[in-house]
């Protein structure tokens, strides 16, 4: 009896809190039909926003995966003074409000910031420009690859790698052909988390971007602009596209699980 | 000189694995430029314009109203998430919920959905003409543009933290404990309170803390549904944005510093409580 009550209440809660919002995004986007919503995507500002988001995401993935892997290597394979501090440091962006993460870069490179006026003289713009958006995104997505790699690499142990050293392999060789190939899931999972966060980051980017349509507007910022301009269909179409991109990324992480489940095999 | 510099880091025995120098240098450059360098400005910058400017920035009624609004909403949302999170974790682990796989994937939805999407969706949903807002307003409850809307949005983004904190602990909780308690004559209420809830307490506190820390700094999913009226329904992160638009960097930094301190303190306390409870509670 109590089990059925839990079933009903759980599903009721899931439907009201989680499913209805998801359905609403689609319904609002398709309110005037599929063609009308596609037309809102095919505007210069919308296309520029999509393109900017993709570029920023790619840069964030490349930089944070490269350095994240090196950091995971040094933090999991060596014991050194300051290791604990470094471990705290790489997780710090997760507990900082997105708006504060954006503010940090304005304090450095804004017009009143430490280096803003200096860079201005050389005609380098970081605040209210693409590089500011990239820096803010790098900051908020920094933890994901390191954080997913460290625990897995700790479990993995270093025996195989020590054998590789004795066999004469160098650092890059070991990292590329010994360490990473044995933990592909963790690496991919970290990259996908980075992607999802980079695609959808709003608060941090909003502070540094300056909201110039067609120039410094990423997809989330474009959504805000359209929504505040009462262009509901356009806003929700962009929202649907962004949500599909982000949710596919997250679902890909659990793809191996789902495949096992669908083929009724044990993982 | 270089030898000496790296020797400072190395502790204990000699390592055979290669790449220490290169990867520590890369890591220090990466975290230094992206984290230490920007965070140091947050700590130093506000005092540059003089102690007095900062003090007067801290004496700001609007700031305290915004901080209190964010704080109270985040606390209430985290509290509301505890029973629901516990119920969902229980449904997933123990109650063999039909459609468990789908429910499991849906619970991660708030983490996957970009915050701006969450924001405009919830604002539309709970507006007075929205699917859920209309029935609520007939009951005389205005959900959007006020405290209730903010709490609902923060519940949405915080829910996965509670479920995902409780779930693994619940999975390792042995069934025999409950059976033993039942055989010893404990009532269902006693079993729930003493045998199930007690070992779950650290996990619940962790979930609460994570949900709160996420909620107090949340921006994207909240600004569309909050009324954004100064002194009434303005969240602290929005006040930072407003101050920046007024070119009042000191004011913005003051709010940011307090916000940062609160969320770090919350996470620190959670870690402390968690460790203390875990000593005698966590099943081996």
């Amino acid at each position: 009896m109590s089990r059925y009550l839990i079933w009903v209440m759980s599903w009721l809660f899931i439907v009201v809190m989680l499913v209805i919002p998801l359905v609403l995004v689609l319904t609002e986007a398709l309110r005037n039909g599929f063609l009308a919503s596609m037309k809102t995507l095919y505007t210069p500002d919308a296309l520029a926003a999509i393109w900017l988001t993709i570029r920023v995401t790619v840069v964030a993935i490349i930089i944070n995966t490269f350095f994240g892997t090196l950091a995971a290597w040094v933090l999991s394979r060596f014991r050194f003074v300051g290791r604990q501090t470094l471990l705290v440091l790489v997780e710090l962006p997760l507990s900082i409000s997105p708006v504060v993460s954006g503010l940090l870069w304005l304090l450095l490179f804004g017009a009143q910031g430490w280096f803003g006026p200096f860079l201005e003289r050389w005609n380098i713009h970081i605040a209210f420009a693409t590089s500011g958006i990239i820096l803010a995104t790098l900051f908020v997505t920094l933890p994901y690859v390191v954080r997913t790699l460290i625990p897995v690499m700790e479990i993995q142990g270093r025996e195989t790698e020590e054998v590789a050293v004795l066999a004469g392999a160098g650092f890059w060789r070991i990292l590329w052909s010994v360490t990473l190939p044995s933990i592909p899931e963790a690496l991919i999972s970290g990259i996908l988390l980075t992607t999802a966060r980079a695609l959808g980051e709003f608060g941090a980017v909003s502070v540094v971007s300056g909201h110039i349509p067609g120039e410094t507007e990423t997809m989330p910022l474009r959504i805000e602009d359209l929504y505040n301009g009462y262009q509901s269909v356009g806003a929700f179409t962009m929202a649907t596209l962004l949500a599909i991109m982000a949710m596919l990324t997250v679902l890909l992480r659990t793809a191996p699980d789902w495949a096992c489940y669908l083929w009724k095999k044990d993982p | 000189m270089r030898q000496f510099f790296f020797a400072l880091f190395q502790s204990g025995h000699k390592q055979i694995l290669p790449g220490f120098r290169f990867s520590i240098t890369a890591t220090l450059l990466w975290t230094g430029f992206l984290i230490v360098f920007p965070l140091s400005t947050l700590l130093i910058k506000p005092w540059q314009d003089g102690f007095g400017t900062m003090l007067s920035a801290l004496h700001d009624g609007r700031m305290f109203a915004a901080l209190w609004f964010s704080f109270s909403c985040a606390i209430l949302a985290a509290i509301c998430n505890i029973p629901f999170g516990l119920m969902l974790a229980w449904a997933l682990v123990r109650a063999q919920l039909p459609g468990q796989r789908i429910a499991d994937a849906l619970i991660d939805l708030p983490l996957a959905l970009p915050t701006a999407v969450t924001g405009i969706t919830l604002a539309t949903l709970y507006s007075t003409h929205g699917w859920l807002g209309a029935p609520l307003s007939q009951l005389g409850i205005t959900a959007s543009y006020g405290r209730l809307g903010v709490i609902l949005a923060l519940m949405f983004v915080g829910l996965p933290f509670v479920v995902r904190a409780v779930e693994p602990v619940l999975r390792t909780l042995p069934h025999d404990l409950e059976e033993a308690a039942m055989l010893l004559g404990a009532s269902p209420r006693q079993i729930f309170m003493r045998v199930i809830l007690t070992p779950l307490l650290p996990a619940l506190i962790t979930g609460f803390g994570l949900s709160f820390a996420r909620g107090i700094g949340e921006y994207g999913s909240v600004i569309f549904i909050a009324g954004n009226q100064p002194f009434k329904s303005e969240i602290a992160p929005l006040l930072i944005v407003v101050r920046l638009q007024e070119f009042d960097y000191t004011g913005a930094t003051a709010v940011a510093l307090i916000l940062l301190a609160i969320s770090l303190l919350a996470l620190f306390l959670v870690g402390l409580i968690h460790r203390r409870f875990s000593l005698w509670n966590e099943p081996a």
Side-chain angles (χ1 to χ4, degrees), chain A residues 7 11 80-81 95 97 112 139, chain B residues 9 34 41 45 95 98 217 263 267:
Chain A
W7 285 0
W11 269 112
F80 51 92
V81 180
S95 39
S97 165
Q112 295 180 32
F139 181 88
Chain B
F9 283 113
L34 284 178
T41 54
K45 177 93 182 167
S263 60
L267 292 174

Side-chain angles (χ1 to χ4, degrees), chain A residues 3 6-8 10-11 14, chain B residues 88 90-101 103-104:
Chain A
R3 165 173 293 179
I6 287 186
W7 285 0
V8 172
S10 297
W11 269 112
I14 290 175
Chain B
L88 289 177
W90 184 268
L92 286 179
V93 176
R94 287 291 179 84
Q96 288 144 359
L97 186 73
Q100 199 186 20
R101 286 237 149 206
D104 194 44

Side-chain angles (χ1 to χ4, degrees), chain B residues 74-128:
Chain B
I75 288 267
L76 285 173
I79 289 175
C80 293
N81 266 339
I82 286 183
F84 290 118
L86 184 61
M87 177 182 77
L88 289 177
W90 184 268
L92 286 179
V93 176
R94 287 291 179 84
Q96 288 144 359
L97 186 73
Q100 199 186 20
R101 286 237 149 206
I102 299 167
D104 194 44
L106 278 171
I107 284 168
D108 278 334
L109 178 76
L111 293 179
L113 213 58
T115 51
V117 179
T118 309
I120 63 167
T121 309
L122 294 182
T124 312
L125 191 63
Y126 289 107
S127 77
T128 39

Side-chain angles (χ1 to χ4, degrees), chain A:
Chain A
M1 152 56 200
S2 71
R3 165 173 293 179
Y4 297 115
L5 189 69
I6 287 186
W7 285 0
V8 172
M9 280 178 57
S10 297
W11 269 112
L12 196 69
F13 185 79
I14 290 175
V15 167
V16 170
M17 282 295 277
L18 305 171
V19 177
I20 290 185
L22 203 57
V23 177
L24 180 112
V25 181
L26 258 182
T27 335
E28 287 289 321
L30 297 176
R31 178 186 278 182
N32 297 347
F34 184 71
L35 272 179
S37 31
M38 280 300 113
K39 253 180 212 156
T40 63
L41 279 184
Y42 202 71
T43 54
D45 287 352
L47 290 176
I50 296 171
W51 178 229
L52 179 63
T53 298
I54 292 173
R55 274 185 303 165
V56 169
T57 307
V58 169
V59 174
I61 292 172
I62 292 172
I63 293 184
N64 280 341
T65 305
F66 177 76
F67 285 99
T69 314
L70 289 177
W73 170 265
V74 83
L75 286 168
S76 66
R77 292 297 179 254
F78 301 96
R79 294 290 177 268
F80 51 92
V81 180
R83 179 173 171 272
Q84 284 301 327
T85 319
L86 218 49
L87 276 172
V88 173
L89 222 51
V90 294
E91 292 223 349
L92 208 54
L94 291 178
S95 39
I96 294 179
S97 165
V99 176
V100 179
S101 322
L103 170 75
L104 296 176
W105 296 104
L106 272 195
L107 291 179
L108 275 177
F109 298 120
Q112 295 180 32
W114 279 0
F115 299 98
F118 173 75
L119 291 172
E120 196 79 10
R121 225 176 298 151
W122 296 90
N123 220 7
I124 301 171
H125 299 280
I126 292 182
F128 312 130
T130 313
S131 23
I133 297 177
I134 290 176
L135 285 173
T137 311
L138 280 175
F139 181 88
V140 294
T141 57
L142 185 140
Y144 295 104
V145 171
V146 210
R147 228 168 73 104
T148 37
L149 279 184
I150 289 176
V152 187
M153 281 170 79
E154 290 274 3
I155 293 169
Q156 186 191 21
R158 49 187 114 176
E159 285 81 7
T160 342
E161 286 146 9
E162 285 170 353
V163 170
V165 174
L166 294 178
F171 171 54
W172 293 107
R173 189 66 195 273
I174 293 177
L175 198 62
W176 189 250
S177 0
V178 178
T179 310
L180 291 181
S182 57
I183 47 167
E185 296 95 349
L187 183 66
I188 292 172
S189 172
I191 294 176
L192 291 176
L193 284 173
T194 307
T195 315
R197 182 70 199 261
L199 285 174
E201 182 51 39
F202 177 67
V205 169
S206 158
V207 172
V208 291
S209 111
H211 295 258
I212 309 163
E215 268 185 60
T216 61
E217 265 192 349
T218 59
M219 288 170 76
L221 298 179
R222 187 80 207 129
I223 293 173
E224 182 195 21
D225 236 24
L226 289 168
Y227 183 82
N228 287 341
Y230 300 102
Q231 287 171 285
S232 162
V233 173
F236 277 99
T237 307
M238 187 67 101
T240 309
L241 182 65
L242 186 61
I244 289 174
M245 285 160 77
M247 276 163 30
L248 271 184
T249 324
V250 172
L251 274 183
L252 272 180
R253 284 176 66 223
T254 51
D257 270 12
W258 281 91
C260 289
Y261 172 72
L262 290 177
W263 276 287
K264 300 282 178 210
K265 273 190 219 153
D266 289 325

Side-chain angles (χ1 to χ4, degrees), chain B residues 111 157-166 203 206-208 210-211 214:
Chain B
L111 293 179
V157 293
L159 182 73
F161 292 101
V162 181
V163 181
R164 295 304 177 214
V166 175
T206 308
F208 171 84
L210 291 176
S211 171
R214 168 78 197 255

